[in-house]
């Protein structure tokens, strides 16, 4: 994804806020906002932000699982199933 077409100065954002929000929602691509010629912020629509957060959470879970595997913190699936069944039978 190229961001070069999605770079706008803060003055553009101020003057066209509603249009920018519509464009963000429609294109679902982030927009880089500059101030004095320097990139200062990135804005995106809420749906894309939420999707990104969910993706990051899943990646974090995978990283934690990989660390557990590397540390030998694993159990056989059969042992876990047997444990759950015995707990359910005790109820």
């Amino acid at each position: 994804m190229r961001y070069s077409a999605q770079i706008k100065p803060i003055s553009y954002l101020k003057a066209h806020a509603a249009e920018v929000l519509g464009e963000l929602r429609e294109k679902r691509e982030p927009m880089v906002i500059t101030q004095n010629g320097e990139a200062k912020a990135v804005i995106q629509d809420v749906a894309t932000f939420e999707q990104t957060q969910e993706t990051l959470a899943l990646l974090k879970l995978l990283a934690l699982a990989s660390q557990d595997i590397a540390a030998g913190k694993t159990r056989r699936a059969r042992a876990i199933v047997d444990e759950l069944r015995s707990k359910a039978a005790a109820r």
Side-chain angles (χ1 to χ4, degrees):
M1 177 183 317
R2 294 197 177 263
Y3 295 116
S4 58
Q6 292 294 103
I7 299 174
K8 302 288 184 194
I10 196 164
S11 58
Y12 180 87
L13 176 62
K14 289 177 183 178
H16 302 93
E19 180 183 322
V20 167
L21 293 177
E23 187 176 322
L24 290 171
R25 185 178 53 251
E26 184 180 307
K27 289 186 177 180
R28 298 196 61 164
E29 292 180 357
M31 183 177 287
V32 177
I33 303 299
T34 63
Q35 187 176 36
N36 299 321
E38 292 183 34
K40 294 292 183 177
V42 177
I43 58 174
Q44 65 185 143
D45 67 291
V46 173
T48 303
F49 175 77
E50 289 173 342
Q51 184 179 27
T52 300
Q53 294 303 304
E54 289 174 12
T55 301
L56 289 172
L58 289 172
L59 288 171
K60 184 173 182 176
L61 288 173
L62 287 172
L64 291 171
S66 292
Q67 290 174 356
D68 284 347
I69 291 168
K73 298 178 182 178
T74 60
R75 292 176 51 195
R76 293 190 174 274
R78 172 53 61 199
I80 294 169
V81 170
D82 290 343
E83 182 181 325
L84 292 172
R85 284 186 177 148
S86 66
K87 285 182 180 181
R91 288 183 181 181

